[in-house]
Amino acid sequence: MSAPKKQIVLTEEAPKPIGPYSQAVQAGNLLFCSGQIPLDAKSGQISAQDVEGQTRKVMENIAAVLQAGGSAFDQVVKTTIFLKSMGDFPKVNEIYGSYFKADPPARSTVEVSRLPKDVLVEIEVIALVG
């Protein structure tokens, strides 16, 4: 029996990687999605200045990567949210929760001193495929 090979996932509907990483990697029936920040896929610019707008864009970017990898929000098993300020948690949590109406995934949320391009939020997910 051969070991599963990793498959790189790349979509034009989400921002291109800004470093040496992939948007997502599929290994077996798992999809490991890199952290998404609120960049517009077409312009490469930050889409909003407020945490609500940034969170919505991050979730849209995650949706695009999940779709490209053959998955969806209802298949997400684990997320990690990185916040510039834990004071933004209630706003981020409300928007995030709207994408996971039933059987939400496991989650960690941490406050960090700085995120790429000085954004306010970054979210990464692990999802099932198929």
Side-chain angles (χ1 to χ4, degrees):
M1 182 188 263
S2 64
K5 295 184 179 181
K6 72 178 188 180
Q7 295 179 326
I8 304 303
V9 174
L10 182 64
T11 177
E12 295 294 321
E13 301 303 313
K16 290 182 170 126
I18 55 176
Y21 62 90
S22 299
Q23 289 173 334
V25 174
Q26 182 181 344
N29 69 334
L30 291 175
L31 184 66
F32 298 87
C33 300
S34 294
Q36 288 293 314
I37 61 174
L39 291 180
D40 179 80
K42 306 288 187 251
S43 71
Q45 300 300 310
I46 296 169
S47 65
Q49 299 307 309
D50 63 314
V51 74
E52 296 94 340
Q54 287 193 10
T55 302
R56 283 186 197 91
K57 187 61 181 171
V58 165
M59 297 305 283
E60 290 171 12
N61 289 342
I62 291 170
V65 174
L66 287 170
Q67 182 177 2
S71 192
F73 281 110
D74 64 351
Q75 294 294 101
V76 173
V77 296
K78 172 71 168 82
T79 66
T80 306
I81 300 174
F82 303 94
L83 295 174
K84 173 115 178 172
S85 169
M86 199 56 82
D88 289 331
F89 180 78
K91 294 173 184 174
V92 171
N93 196 49
E94 183 177 344
I95 295 164
Y96 168 96
S98 71
Y99 288 83
F100 299 106
K101 298 189 187 318
D103 302 322
R107 177 179 78 186
S108 301
T109 304
V110 294
E111 180 180 274
V112 295
S113 62
R114 195 167 180 202
L115 289 164
K117 298 194 176 273
D118 292 317
V119 298
L120 303 174
V121 60
E122 177 176 359
I123 301 175
E124 66 181 26
V125 305
I126 301 170
L128 297 172
V129 176

